Amino acid sequence: MNRTDRLYAIVEELRAVSPRLRTARELAARHGVSVRTVERDISALQQSGVPIYADVGRRGGYALEKSMSLPPLNFTAAEAVALAVAVARADGGPFADAGRSALRKILAAMSAQNTAAARQLALRVRLLESPEAVAPMPVPPEVEQAVVARRVLRIEYLDRAGVLSEREVEPVALLHGGRGWYLLGWCLLRDEPRNFRLDRMKAIELTERIGAERSIETCSPAEPVHEIRMISLG
């Protein structure tokens, strides 16, 4: 883990457990660095404006301002493990890193008793992977950001005929099919909707331009698409 990732991870951990404290020794052990390194990291975060305060004393440590923390969560062990299974199955999909970060926050904000029960239950759940299975291509972070912020992508794309072309694409949605993840987008070169297989994108650049707001229902792709199953948050 590089320093930037470690600084982010420290903030996320303190946010999740606040108002509880984490000592420098605990943070050092978690991130595999020295106590002195953690102290320097905390100082750098404080100087950059992150509201971390130190509670001195025998049981002292570091904490994040309460307004940036999660309240206690009454998740059951089964609920937490269900989320962990979903996150594990989503590995390589869009927002996989965000899912792992969310799960860490949830576990840190649960009661110690429920967290311990969830960890014990997780030991009794296994995901079997076939040795012949081909790992899916992870969704590039530029594509994730484009979908979130509706920013235009500039890509080099290898089509089914093996022809490489440069495209500018307004992102509409991410679709998952038998051959992996696709980006449904409005191709500005062809001036029509297209499906772009992520493993055929040979170069990806996230531009600052915001694309038009389009829906899956009104943006029918040129290539055939099977029935689209919605992702529900309710």
Side-chain angles (χ1 to χ4, degrees):
M1 179 183 292
N2 60 39
R3 187 169 188 246
T4 299
D5 291 339
R6 188 174 67 250
L7 291 174
Y8 176 79
I10 288 173
V11 172
E12 289 304 306
E13 182 171 356
L14 293 179
R15 187 200 312 277
V17 303
S18 180
R20 287 175 287 164
L21 303 173
R22 280 285 188 263
T23 67
R25 188 176 301 278
E26 288 172 331
L27 292 170
R30 182 176 291 260
H31 299 290
V33 295
S34 68
V35 170
R36 181 59 184 153
T37 296
V38 167
E39 291 172 343
R40 286 197 296 264
D41 288 346
I42 294 291
S43 177
L45 289 167
Q46 290 171 328
Q47 292 175 31
S48 67
V50 178
I52 297 174
Y53 65 88
D55 186 359
V56 297
R58 189 180 62 173
R59 294 188 178 182
Y62 298 103
L64 198 65
E65 172 63 38
K66 291 182 180 180
S67 63
M68 299 184 66
S69 65
L70 285 171
L73 299 177
N74 191 27
F75 275 55
T76 67
E79 288 170 337
V81 172
L83 292 175
V85 170
V87 168
R89 298 296 292 178
D91 195 32
F95 316 118
D97 288 339
R100 285 187 286 269
S101 175
L103 183 60
R104 286 194 298 269
K105 292 178 184 178
I106 288 170
L107 289 172
M110 288 168 55
S111 69
Q113 179 180 358
N114 285 357
T115 299
R119 295 191 187 283
Q120 286 298 315
L121 180 58
L123 296 175
R124 303 200 297 274
V125 178
R126 292 290 189 271
L127 301 179
L128 300 180
E129 301 291 345
S130 169
E132 295 81 20
V134 178
M137 174 186 173
V139 177
E142 296 89 348
V143 175
E144 289 184 358
Q145 294 174 44
V147 173
V148 169
R150 231 173 54 241
R151 287 165 61 180
V152 174
L153 284 172
R154 184 176 295 117
I155 64 174
E156 290 183 4
Y157 190 72
L158 191 68
D159 65 18
R160 287 180 294 182
V163 177
L164 188 67
S165 61
E166 184 173 298
R167 314 284 187 99
E168 288 193 338
V169 180
E170 296 179 344
V172 176
L174 285 164
L175 307 177
H176 188 264
R179 297 183 179 179
W181 284 96
Y182 294 74
L183 174 67
L184 169 60
W186 189 273
C187 177
L188 297 178
L189 177 65
R190 307 298 186 198
D191 194 28
E192 62 184 10
R194 290 290 177 93
N195 282 327
F196 297 94
R197 269 177 52 178
L198 298 190
D199 60 351
R200 289 181 177 168
M201 293 183 181
K202 302 306 177 185
I204 307 173
E205 178 186 349
L206 185 66
T207 73
E208 296 297 326
R209 290 158 46 207
I210 303 299
E213 188 169 359
R214 309 177 191 274
S215 69
I216 297 179
E217 290 74 21
T218 59
C219 186
S220 178
E223 299 177 23
V225 175
H226 296 293
E227 180 182 352
I228 298 175
R229 183 158 54 97
M230 300 291 290
I231 300 295
S232 174
L233 295 179

